[in-house]
Amino acid sequence: MAIRLGDVAPDFTADTTEGPISFHEWKGDSWAVLFSHPKDFTPVCTTELGYTARLAEEFAARNVKVIGLSCDTVEDHAAWSQDIEDTQGIRPNFPMIGDADRAVADLYDMIHPNASDTMTVRSVFVIGPDNTVKLTITYPASTGRNFDEVLRVIDSLQLTAAKKVATPVNWNNGDDVIIVPALSNEEAAELFPGGWDEQKPYLRVVSQP
Ligand code: BEZ
């Protein structure tokens, strides 16, 4: 069954390139990005994993742990890591789950049989400190993801979890935000004493708190 926003991210045990893990224990109270790639030793995946490794400091700054997965073995992940370093200049610096028996892929509905019977789609799950799913993204094998967008969304998720705001179209960290409609003007005045730009009663734009 598909995993939906707000669901508890299913727990599992698995072998990874950094040893066996129990997912919830490994994650602790951090945020996490669990993402699948279709297959080791494939070109688009090679670029994605190299780029994700380059973002290690960005993820750490946001208290996010990253973990990858495909239906390959840990041994294949380790051998492929050398190719990733050779071509992308950096090897994966996050654990990669060896899921040859597809246990985790099935648990997270990462195999879409009408796309491929054997390979995972490009899934991304962003999971919050409370272990619930905050974001899901699904891309096909032929289209590499934009991991800068994953960071951008995490910025929005973390901001909107902490403040009574929502982020508008194409928002980037530091841009103006929107006061959530559930907040009355009286309540908003307490939280945003500097005021806001009321373009419509439901569209109140304010500097990012
Ligand atoms: C790739 O990563 O390049 C890829 C993987 C599976 C199918 C198509 C492309």
Side-chain angles (χ1 to χ4, degrees), residues 68-89:
L69 174 149
S70 71
C71 298
D72 297 285
T73 63
V74 164
E75 291 73 28
D76 274 352
H77 290 335
W80 181 41
S81 294
Q82 185 61 53
D83 290 1
I84 295 172
E85 182 169 7
D86 291 347
T87 60
Q88 310 303 306

Side-chain angles (χ1 to χ4, degrees), residues 38-39 42-46 119 122 141-142:
K39 192 96 195 112
T42 54
V44 175
C45 300
T46 299
M119 297 186 301
R122 298 187 192 279
S142 52

Side-chain angles (χ1 to χ4, degrees), residues 150-173:
V150 175
L151 283 177
R152 188 193 75 84
V153 176
I154 290 170
D155 284 338
S156 172
L157 292 170
Q158 294 186 340
L159 175 69
T160 59
K163 308 283 182 186
K164 296 211 178 301
V165 297
T167 58
V169 60
N170 293 348
W171 174 88
N172 280 296
N173 199 14

Side-chain angles (χ1 to χ4, degrees), residues 3 49 82 112 126 134:
I3 293 172
L49 271 73
Q82 185 61 53
H112 296 195
V126 177
K134 307 298 184 190

Side-chain angles (χ1 to χ4, degrees), residues 40-109:
D40 290 359
F41 302 104
T42 54
V44 175
C45 300
T46 299
T47 62
E48 284 191 331
L49 271 73
Y51 194 82
T52 304
R54 287 199 183 285
L55 295 178
E57 284 183 14
E58 297 291 340
F59 284 114
R62 293 163 174 81
N63 188 29
V64 179
K65 292 183 177 177
V66 174
I67 189 163
L69 174 149
S70 71
C71 298
D72 297 285
T73 63
V74 164
E75 291 73 28
D76 274 352
H77 290 335
W80 181 41
S81 294
Q82 185 61 53
D83 290 1
I84 295 172
E85 182 169 7
D86 291 347
T87 60
Q88 310 303 306
I90 188 167
R91 62 172 54 225
N93 45 23
F94 46 84
M96 286 196 280
I97 296 166
D99 195 37
D101 66 0
R102 307 184 196 177
V104 181
D106 284 341
L107 191 63
Y108 277 77
D109 201 30

